[in-house]
Amino acid sequence: MHLYNLTLQPASASIQSIVGNFSGARQQEIIVSHGTRLELLRPDPSSGKVSTVISTDVFGSVRSLAAFRLTGGSKDYAILGSDSGRIVILDYDPKTSSFVKLHQETFGKSGARRIVPGQYLATDPKGRSVMIAAMEKSKLVYILNRDAAANLTISSPLEAHKSSAIIHNIVGVDVGFENPIFAALEVDYSESDQDPTGEAFNRTEKMLTYYELDLGLNHVVRKWSEPTDPRANLLVQVPGGQLASSDRYDGPSGVLVCCEDHIIYRHMNSPQHRVPIPRRKNPLEDPKRGVIITAAVMHKMKGAFFFLLQSEDGDLFKVTIEHQEQDVTSLKIKYFDTVPVASSLCILKSGFLFVASEFGNHHLYQFQKLGDDDDEPEFVSTQYPGDGMADPSSPLPRAFFKPRPLDNLMLADTLPSLHPIIDSKVLNLLPNSDTPQIFAACGRGARSTLRTLRHGLEVEEAVSSELPGIPNAVWTTKRSEADPYDSYIILSFVNGTLVLSIGETIEEVQDTGFLSSSPTIAVQQIGTDALLQVHPHGLRHVLADGRVNEWRVPQGKTIVTSTTNKRQVVAALSSAELVYFELDLDGQLNEYQERRAMGSTILALSIAEVPEGRQRTPYLAVGCEDQTVRIVSLDPESTLVPISLQALTAPPSSIAIAEMLDASINKSQPTLFVNIGLQNGVLLRTVLDPMDGSLTDTRTRFLGTRPIKLVRVQIQKNPAILALSSRSWINYTHQNMMHFTPLIYENLDYAWGFSAELSPEGLIGIAGNVLRIFTIPKLGTKLKEDVIPLSYTPRKFVTHPENRFFYLIEGDHRTYSDAAAAEKIQTLKRNGTRVDEEVVNLPPVDFGRPKAPAGTWAANIRIIDPVEGTTVAVVPIDGNEGVFSIAVVPFSARKNELHLVVGTAADATVSPRACTSGYLRTYTFTNDGAGLELLHKTETDDVPLALLAFQGRLVAGVGKSLRLYDIGKKKLLRKVENKAFTSAVVTLATQGSRIIVGDMQESIQYVVYKEPENRLLTFADDSQSRWVTASTMVDYNTVAAGDRFGNIFVNRLDSKVSDQVDEDPTGAGILHEKPMLMGAPHKTEMLCHFHVGDLITSIHKASLVAGGREVLLYTGLHGTIGILMPLVSKEDVEFIQKLEEHMRQEMVSIVGRDHLAWRGYYAPVKAVVDGDLCETFASLPASKQSAIAEGADRTVGEVLKKLEQMRVTSSGL
C-alpha cells in the first residue's frame, strides 16, 4: 500500500503572532505562526478587512516568533525558534512574495527538547541582539549588526546558561543605547532535587534575573537577580532609554511582572509598585480562583505608552505608568473591554487590535477610543500602603469591575478558524449536491460551533428580480471606453431583445439603436465610443451620435455564433463560413473580403481581448461539429488561415480565450489559455503559444452534466473565466496561482461581468426567469463554512440511519449548567445576597461562563438538522454528569428498534480520570427522531469513553474493560466482558464478529466475539504502543489510526491469521495460543506511517468526488483537514517518490528542519508521499522546475499536470 498525503485545509490555530513592517512599505503586516505554517496577513487600514498575502508550510514546528528592526532601519525581520535546533532570521521579499532565509545558525539537537533553546525568544528593542532560551538551563544571545554593504549579520552565540534553572519567561529590557539587557523569570531546583522531605521545594523562590550583554567585552553577565512573586508567569517590557533628540526619557524602563491576582512593576534599583488585577463581580465565580494574565501587548505613541493585558476570561485591562524621567510615581490598571481569549495580541499603528484567538475565529478590532475618559474604576498603586508592596507576601484587597459589551473597540473583521476540530463526519446530505460535505464539530465553551464545509466560493447576492420571460443570455456594456461603470444591461429572449439602463434605478430604454425585435448573439462596446449588436440577421454598429451602420447577412443564411473584442468581430454563418470584421483607425467596421468555409457546422468561436498597444489579437479559436477546435490566424498577411487543430472527445459547446497569470507555468507574464467547454460537461484548458499559435499542455476536468457555457469576466481587476454547467465554476488567479472552484449558488444559465457604483466588481447572471446580481467577496478559500452555534464544547456526534438529524453531545468541565446556575442564584437571593442581574445574564458567547470548582459539569444532547442549519431540540443532562460517548443502537431484543445510548459520568474529574459513577443513558426516539425520551440509566464503575452498535447489541468501552450489553426493561444487561486492556478503551469499530479496539496508550487491538462460548477474545495487537485518538477500518483486516503525537498509521493483520480466527468456532485456539511480547498471540504489520504535525481527532473512509476513488480523510485538533489517497499504479508510485526525493533536496525548510526527519518524527516515514511538499513544485523558479522534471524523466508541464490530476481526482479541490 502506498498513500499520497494532501492537506485540504491547513491548520488555523494561532500559536503566536507578531506585527511589523515586513515588506518595507509604510504599511504594517502581521505574521501568524500556525505551528507548522507561517502566514503573512495585511489589514487594509481603510476597510478594516484582513487579506492573506502569503502562506508557507515550514515542514517543522515553529515554537517561538519575534520581530526586530536594526537601529535606524525601516524594515522588520522575523526571528524563528523551532524544533530544528537552529535560529532562523526571515525577510519577506515583496517582489517574489516569499519568505527569504537570511541566516540559519545551528546551536543544538533537533526536536522539541527541554534544554535545547527555541521555546522563548526576546529581542533588544533597539534591534542589536536577540536571546533564545530553552525551558530549562540554556540561554543563548546573538548580536545582530550590519556589514559594509548594509546586509544583516549575526554573531556566534554567547552563552547565558544557568544549570538547574527552569525558565518561565524572557523579555528584552528597554535601556536605550546602553548595553542590551534581558530579563528572565527563573526557578532554581537544585536544592529541591536533593531534598527528599520537600521543604526545599516549598522554600524555592522565583527569581527575576537581568542578563547584560557587554558589547565591548562581547560576553553576557548576570547583572541583577531578586526574588519575585512565586506565581509570576509573564514579563512585559516597559519603554525606557533617552531620546536621541532630547534629554527626555521614553519611559522608566524595567518590566511588568504579571502574577496571579497582581501586576508588579520591577526594575533594578527602583521601588516596586503593585496593583491587583480586577475581577468580575459575578456571584457564581469561584472565590478561591486566582486571575492570571495570559497575553499582553505594549504600545508606544508619541510621548506616551500603555499596556493591554488579557486575563484568562478574555477581559482586557489597560495599564498605564505615571513617571517622572526614570522614576515611577504610580501604576494604574482599569477594565478596557472583553474579547476572546488570545494566544497573542498585536496593536497596529493604524488603530487596530489583532486578536489571535486561542480557540475559534481570529478577530481584528478597531480602537474607537483609548478608555481614558470613561467612568470605569481605576486602581492605582498609590492607593495601597507602600505602593502596594508594604507586605509583598500577602495579597492586596480584591478589586472588582463590571463586564460590559464592547465600548472602546469595534469588530472590523473575522478570520475563520476551525481550531479545535473535535469530531467530524463526511456525508452528502444537502439537496442538489453531487459531492459530500464535511461536518466538523469545532470550538470550546460557549463559542463552539458545528460547521458545514462545502467545496466552493461564497457568493453575496445584491439583487434578485423576476423577469417577464425566460432570457437566454445577458450582457452589460459601457457607452464609451472611458466610462467607469456599465450603462446598459441587455437581455436576449427567443423573440426579441430588452435593453435596461443602469442609473439610480434599472429601467427599460428604447433609444439605444439596438434592434429589439430580434434575439441578440453578442454585444460589445467597440472602439472608443460605439456599440455593437450581433443578431441572427446581421450586425448593428451604433455610433456615439446615434447613427447606425448595418451589415446584413446574405439571403438564406443566418449568424449562428459570434465573438467580439474592442477592435475585431468574427461571425459564423449557418453555411459554416467565417466572416471577419476589423475596426479601422476612423472607427469604421470593415469586412475582410474573403469568407472562410470551415467544412463543418461551427458551434463556438472565441478571440482574446486586444493586447495593450496592439491593433488586433492574432488568433481565433473555432469549434466545429466534427469534434475539433482549430486555431485560425487573424494576421493581415495570413487572414483566416488555419494554424493548428485540437481533436476533442465530444462536440464543443463554448470556447473562451483568456490571458491569465499562472505562476506554475510562467511567473513573469500571463499565459494565453484556450478554454474549451464540451457538450458532455467536460472542460479542456490548453495553452496557446503566442508566437506560432500551437496548442500544448491540455488539461481536462469534469464540471457537470450540462453543456458548458464559458464567459470572460473580471474578478478583483484580474481576468477570470466563468464556466456554467450543472454547477457554476470560476477559474481565477489568486496570489499568482490558478484556482478552479465552484460557486455555492443557484445554477446559472448565463452570466456576465457587472460594474456599477454600488458593485464595481460584480457579476450578473440569469437562472430561469430570475435576474441576479452578485459578488464573490473572498477569493482563495477552498471550503465555504456554514455555522450552527452550540452551547458547550462538542464531544462527539452521530447520524441517524433513517432521518437526516445529527445527535451531538456537548459538555464543559468546571461549568455550571443553566439549571444549576439558576438554582445557586435563587439560593443567594433567599439568603439576602444582592445579585446583579445584568452581570448574571451577560451573553456567554462573548463573556464565557463563570468558572466552577473541579468536578462540576454542564452537558446537553443536541438534535441538529444539518440541511436547514438549525437546532431541533436540546435535551439537558442532569445530575452533574459529563458526556463522553454516544451511539445509535438497533437492539435485536426490541425488534431492531433504534435507541440512542449516551455514556456519561457523574462528578468526573479530568486528571486523574475518576468519577463517582459512570452511566449509560438509553433514550428512545420520539416525533420521528426530533425528540428523545429517557428509557433508563445503567450504572457503570468507570467512564464509558466509547460506544458502538454490534450485532443488535451495544459494545461499550468502560474504562479498561470492553463489555457487551443487551437491553432490559429497567437497565442494560451486561452479557460479556473483557478486562484485558491496559489503560482505557477510546475508539471502537466493527465488521462481522470482529471489533477493532483503540486503547488510549496501547495502540490498536483486534477482538473477536465468539457467540457459542459468549466470549470476547483479543487475538492480535500492535507491536508498538501508541496513544490512539481516532481510528477507522479500511477493510476487514486493515485499520487506519491517528495518535496523540500527530502520527497517522495503517496496520494490517495477516489474512491467514484472520481466516484461522474466523474459522475457530469457540475461540479455544486463541485462548491457548502463547502470548507474544507480553500481549496478544498475533501482531499486526505496519503498512504506512506518516507524521502530520497535528493531533488527529477523526479519520473517515470516504469518496470526495462523484465517481472518484475512496480516500482516508482525517481532521486535526488545530483545524487541519487532510486526505490520504491510495496510489494505484506502480508507475505513479515510482514517479511521485522520485519527485518527492528531488523536492526534499531543492525545497529546504525555512526553519531548517530536515523534511525526512520531520515526517518521520517518532517512527520513520513509511509508504506515504508528502503531497504538500510535491505541490510546492509549482512555486519553484523555472530553472529548478526543469532540473527536477529532468530527474523524474518528465517535462515540467507533465509534472504539473500529474500533480493537478492527483489532487482533483482525489479531493475535487
Side-chain angles (χ1 to χ4, degrees), residues 758-1007:
L758 291 172
S759 173
E761 285 257 302
L763 296 164
I764 186 166
I766 43 178
N769 67 336
V770 180
L771 182 75
R772 300 177 185 275
I773 298 172
F774 57 94
T775 55
I776 301 169
K778 276 202 173 171
L779 296 181
T781 52
K782 291 178 183 170
L783 297 168
K784 176 187 180 284
E785 299 179 6
D786 294 315
V787 176
I788 302 168
L790 307 175
S791 301
Y792 307 114
T793 306
R795 301 292 167 176
K796 284 177 184 161
F797 67 101
V798 292
T799 55
H800 193 290
E802 290 165 16
N803 64 36
R804 64 185 189 186
F805 296 147
F806 286 162
Y807 298 87
L808 179 140
I809 49 172
E810 50 180 359
D812 274 321
H813 185 220
R814 301 192 66 163
T815 303
Y816 292 114
S817 64
D818 293 344
E823 194 180 314
K824 271 188 109 52
I825 283 169
Q826 287 305 322
T827 309
L828 287 170
K829 283 181 178 172
R830 280 199 296 274
N831 296 343
T833 311
R834 229 182 108 260
V835 172
D836 189 336
E837 293 290 342
E838 269 184 54
V839 175
V840 170
N841 297 325
L842 284 169
V845 173
D846 300 322
F847 296 91
R849 290 186 166 83
K851 288 278 186 291
T856 314
W857 287 83
N860 290 331
I861 304 170
R862 186 178 288 266
I863 305 173
I864 293 168
D865 184 341
V867 178
E868 296 296 324
T870 55
T871 294
V872 178
V874 176
V875 180
I877 304 264
D878 52 6
N880 193 27
E881 291 175 30
V883 284
F884 295 92
S885 51
I886 186 168
V888 174
V889 186
F891 282 108
S892 49
R894 292 265 179 111
K895 297 179 182 169
N896 285 338
E897 185 192 336
L898 291 167
H899 292 72
L900 186 76
V901 182
V902 177
T904 66
D907 312 320
T909 52
V910 180
S911 179
R913 194 180 71 251
C915 62
T916 52
S917 175
Y919 294 101
L920 294 171
R921 289 170 164 256
T922 310
Y923 292 87
T924 53
F925 293 102
T926 60
N927 194 10
D928 292 334
L932 294 173
E933 193 179 305
L934 182 64
L935 186 66
H936 48 59
K937 270 168 75 170
T938 309
E939 198 170 327
T940 61
D941 51 3
D942 206 336
V943 183
L945 291 175
L947 302 175
L948 187 71
F950 174 74
Q951 297 185 350
R953 295 176 178 184
L954 170 76
V955 63
V958 180
K960 296 180 183 181
S961 57
L962 184 72
R963 296 175 183 170
L964 204 57
Y965 285 94
D966 209 339
I967 196 162
K969 286 187 177 175
K970 296 280 180 69
K971 62 177 186 179
L972 294 173
L973 310 171
R974 191 192 314 178
K975 294 295 183 186
V976 60
E977 181 173 30
N978 179 342
K979 291 183 179 175
F981 299 95
T982 48
S983 50
V985 175
V986 286
T987 67
L988 292 170
T990 180
Q991 272 189 31
S993 61
R994 181 171 297 175
I995 302 167
I996 307 292
V997 179
D999 187 290
M1000 189 181 275
Q1001 297 175 19
E1002 292 295 334
S1003 194
I1004 297 292
Q1005 308 194 15
Y1006 285 63
V1007 175

Side-chain angles (χ1 to χ4, degrees), residues 95-232:
K95 287 194 186 81
T96 58
S97 189
S98 61
F99 288 115
V100 179
K101 200 189 298 182
L102 297 182
H103 288 286
Q104 174 178 298
E105 298 294 320
T106 307
F107 52 69
K109 290 181 176 178
S110 63
R113 300 166 191 265
R114 277 191 332 186
I115 61 164
V116 175
Q119 185 65 25
Y120 302 112
L121 268 177
T123 55
D124 170 54
K126 293 289 183 274
R128 298 168 299 168
S129 62
V130 58
M131 177 183 266
I132 185 165
M135 301 282 289
E136 201 175 309
K137 180 187 172 183
S138 311
K139 290 184 286 298
L140 296 174
V141 177
Y142 288 88
I143 300 170
L144 305 165
N145 214 330
R146 289 188 185 89
D147 62 10
N151 294 322
L152 175 72
T153 62
I154 187 167
S155 71
S156 300
L158 304 170
E159 291 186 357
H161 300 341
K162 184 177 188 308
S163 56
S164 307
I166 294 170
I167 303 156
H168 287 259
N169 203 264
I170 62 169
V171 74
V173 180
D174 194 344
V175 289
F177 288 101
E178 291 174 22
N179 279 337
I181 290 179
F182 296 95
L185 270 181
E186 298 176 333
V187 175
D188 189 314
Y189 64 79
S190 52
E191 283 183 25
S192 309
D193 246 8
Q194 308 301 323
D195 176 26
T197 62
E199 278 180 40
F201 172 77
N202 295 328
R203 284 200 315 272
T204 305
E205 291 179 317
K206 192 170 279 186
M207 308 297 284
L208 175 63
T209 309
Y210 275 15
Y211 290 90
E212 182 180 31
L213 166 64
D214 192 318
L215 290 170
L217 298 173
N218 209 26
H219 74 144
V220 184
V221 292
R222 194 175 296 116
K223 187 168 187 182
W224 176 74
S225 189
E226 289 267 313
T228 186
D229 189 303
R231 288 176 177 262

Side-chain angles (χ1 to χ4, degrees), residues 226-247:
E226 289 267 313
T228 186
D229 189 303
R231 288 176 177 262
N233 67 310
L234 189 66
L235 297 175
V236 189
Q237 178 192 102
V238 176
Q242 254 174 321
L243 288 170
S245 54
S246 71
D247 294 339

Side-chain angles (χ1 to χ4, degrees), residues 699-744:
R699 304 192 190 177
T700 59
R701 188 163 186 156
F702 177 68
L703 300 191
T705 50
R706 295 199 329 219
I708 295 171
K709 285 181 188 145
L710 297 170
V711 181
R712 263 199 314 259
V713 292
Q714 285 270 335
I715 298 283
Q716 292 187 1
K717 302 185 178 57
N718 288 320
I721 298 274
L722 264 176
L724 310 174
S725 179
S726 54
R727 283 172 93 181
S728 305
W729 296 70
I730 189 152
N731 185 12
Y732 64 97
T733 301
H734 180 68
Q735 292 175 357
N736 294 347
M737 299 306 274
M738 189 77 90
H739 293 257
F740 203 78
T741 316
L743 299 179
I744 296 178

